[in-house]
């Protein structure tokens, strides 16, 4: 099969299109013929090999050599302990931990997968898993979003933000989006009530307050973010600078005690809300925003586009089979 393989950490130059053996199916896995896969921030971290990702995937060189977690495809074969699926089923899910999605075939555990609605394209399905789960778990589980609130999404034009605005709209909230100038028109067209260009304005210093902040970038001091919350407001971070995330984890509980504002960190529960996403998609309430799709041999180019932050929504790769 064809796959995008890397054998050392580095830039996109280390990604190579190769012909390799198909993966070997274990008893609790299914073999998926991959039709689409999307890029996540975690893939980029694993490619570049920062310290945390080296601890996960090998200190000197990557143990898992094919990246790609969010896949959509058709089941080709099932292991003998698999109960939920059968060959021919169209599925999607987040395989992070085992990865392998930038390839014509990948094996995945059955509990990492959900059936793909017929009306959902493979590209749409591949865009969903990590980004939509983070949006739902950030807004609903941690953020307890409800009508009448003022919500701010920092890093609004990427994967998480473009799902979050659509999900938040269902709760009848007023939404402000923060991103770079080139993405603000898209944000307005998606339903953001207000937009902020982060190069022009610091949302933590503009004198406004928000009931709920969903932060995808976490690049500002946690104290400043807390200051941007209204009384009883909740700040939820899903990711960003490691230093700031640690600050949120360590200082968040203290800020909550002294100020009646909550600082919370999402720890992704992979694939937990895929059934809910299927409902939202089938009722026409949420539609993934796709950047691309690119082809398998264009994965290095797609990674560069993603790494430059030039993408809108989710960067998706289509895999054609001859
Ligand atoms: N909590 C967990 O368990 C968990 C698990 C997996 C992933 N994550 C995290 O979840 C996040 C995924 O987010 P995503 O997929 O939405 O990322 P994304 O697609 O890269 O989107 C991020 C957006 O933020 C914008 N941005 C860049 N600098 C900014 C700034 N200073 N202020 C405001 N916006 C800025 C980017 O646009 P420009 O580049 O044009 O500025 C981009 O539109 C990552 O932080 C990842 O590490 C968390």
């Amino acid at each position: 099969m064809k796959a995008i393989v890397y054998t050392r950490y580095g830039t996109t130059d280390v990604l190579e299109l190769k012909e390799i053996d198909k993966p070997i199916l274990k008893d609790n896995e299914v073999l998926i013929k991959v039709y689409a896969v999307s890029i996540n921030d975690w893939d980029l971290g694993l490619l570049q090999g920062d310290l945390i990702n080296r601890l996960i995937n090998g200190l000197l060189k990557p143990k898992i050599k094919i990246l790609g977690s969010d896949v959509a495809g058709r089941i080709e074969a099932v292991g003998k302990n698999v109960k939920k699926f059968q060959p021919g089923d169209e599925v999607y899910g987040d395989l992070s931990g085992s990865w392998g999605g930038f390839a014509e075939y990948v094996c995945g555990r059955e509990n990492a997968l959900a059936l793909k609605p017929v009306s959902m394209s493979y590209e749409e399905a591949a865009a969903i898993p990590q980004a939509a789960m983070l949006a739902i778990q950030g807004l609903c589980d941690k953020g307890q979003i409800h009508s009448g609130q003022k919500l701010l999404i920092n890093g609004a034009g990427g994967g998480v933000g473009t799902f979050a605005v659509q999900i938040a709209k269902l709760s009848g909230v007023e939404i402000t989006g923060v991103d770079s100038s080139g993405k603000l028109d898209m944000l307005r067209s998606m339903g953001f009530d207000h937009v902020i260009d982060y190069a022009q304005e610091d949302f933590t210093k503009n004198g406004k307050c928000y009931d709920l902040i969903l932060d995808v970038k976490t690049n500002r001091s946690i104290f400043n973010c807390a200051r941007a919350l209204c009384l009883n407001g909740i700040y939820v971070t899903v990711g960003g600078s490691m230093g700031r995330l640690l600050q949120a984890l360590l200082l968040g509980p203290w800020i909550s005690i002294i100020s009646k504002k909550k600082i919370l960190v999402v720890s992704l529960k992979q694939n937990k809300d895929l059934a809910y996403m299927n409902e939202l998609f089938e009722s026409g309430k949420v539609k993934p925003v796709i950047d691309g799709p690119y082809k398998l041999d264009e994965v290095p180019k797609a990674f560069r586009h993603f790494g430059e932050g030039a993408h809108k929504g989710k960067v998706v790769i289509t895999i054609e089979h001859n």
Side-chain angles (χ1 to χ4, degrees), residues 7 9 43 51 69 74 80 122 135 140 154 199 209 244 254 257 265 268 285 295 300:
T7 50
Y9 296 112
D43 293 308
L51 180 62
S69 60
R74 184 177 292 129
K80 67 175 188 204
Y122 286 115
C140 307
N154 187 40
C209 79
R244 297 290 188 210
W254 297 102
I257 290 169
V265 180
L268 174 66
K285 290 177 177 150
K295 296 199 171 135

Side-chain angles (χ1 to χ4, degrees), residues 41 154-155 158-160 179-180 183 198 216 219 238 266 268 309 311:
D41 197 53
N154 187 40
V160 176
D179 212 304
S180 52
K183 296 184 185 172
Y198 65 74
V216 170
N219 53 348
V238 303
V266 172
L268 174 66
H311 62 290

Side-chain angles (χ1 to χ4, degrees), residues 8-10 45-63:
R8 61 197 163 91
Y9 296 112
L46 285 161
L47 171 68
Q48 294 169 337
D50 55 53
L51 180 62
I52 291 190
N53 281 303
R54 279 176 193 249
L55 292 174
I56 294 169
N57 198 28
L59 272 184
L60 300 177
K61 54 184 184 175
K63 281 188 280 195

Side-chain angles (χ1 to χ4, degrees), residues 39-42 94 130-131 134 153-162 178-183 196 198-199 203 215-220 237-241 245 265-269 306-314:
I39 297 182
N40 281 301
D41 197 53
W42 201 354
D94 170 3
Q130 259 183 47
L134 287 166
I153 302 173
N154 187 40
V160 176
T162 50
V178 184
D179 212 304
S180 52
S181 57
K183 296 184 185 172
I196 295 176
Y198 65 74
F203 74 88
D215 201 343
V216 170
K217 291 307 291 184
T218 312
N219 53 348
R220 309 205 181 266
T237 164
V238 303
S241 129
L245 288 174
V265 180
V266 172
S267 171
L268 174 66
K269 295 187 179 71
F306 180 81
E308 287 159 6
H311 62 290
K312 292 176 180 160
K314 288 288 301 179

Side-chain angles (χ1 to χ4, degrees), residues 14 22 28 43 50 52 54 88 108 166 175 227 239 244 283:
V14 303
K22 273 190 196 175
N28 63 342
D43 293 308
D50 55 53
I52 291 190
R54 279 176 193 249
Q166 299 179 66
I175 315 176
R227 198 174 333 115
R244 297 290 188 210
S283 57

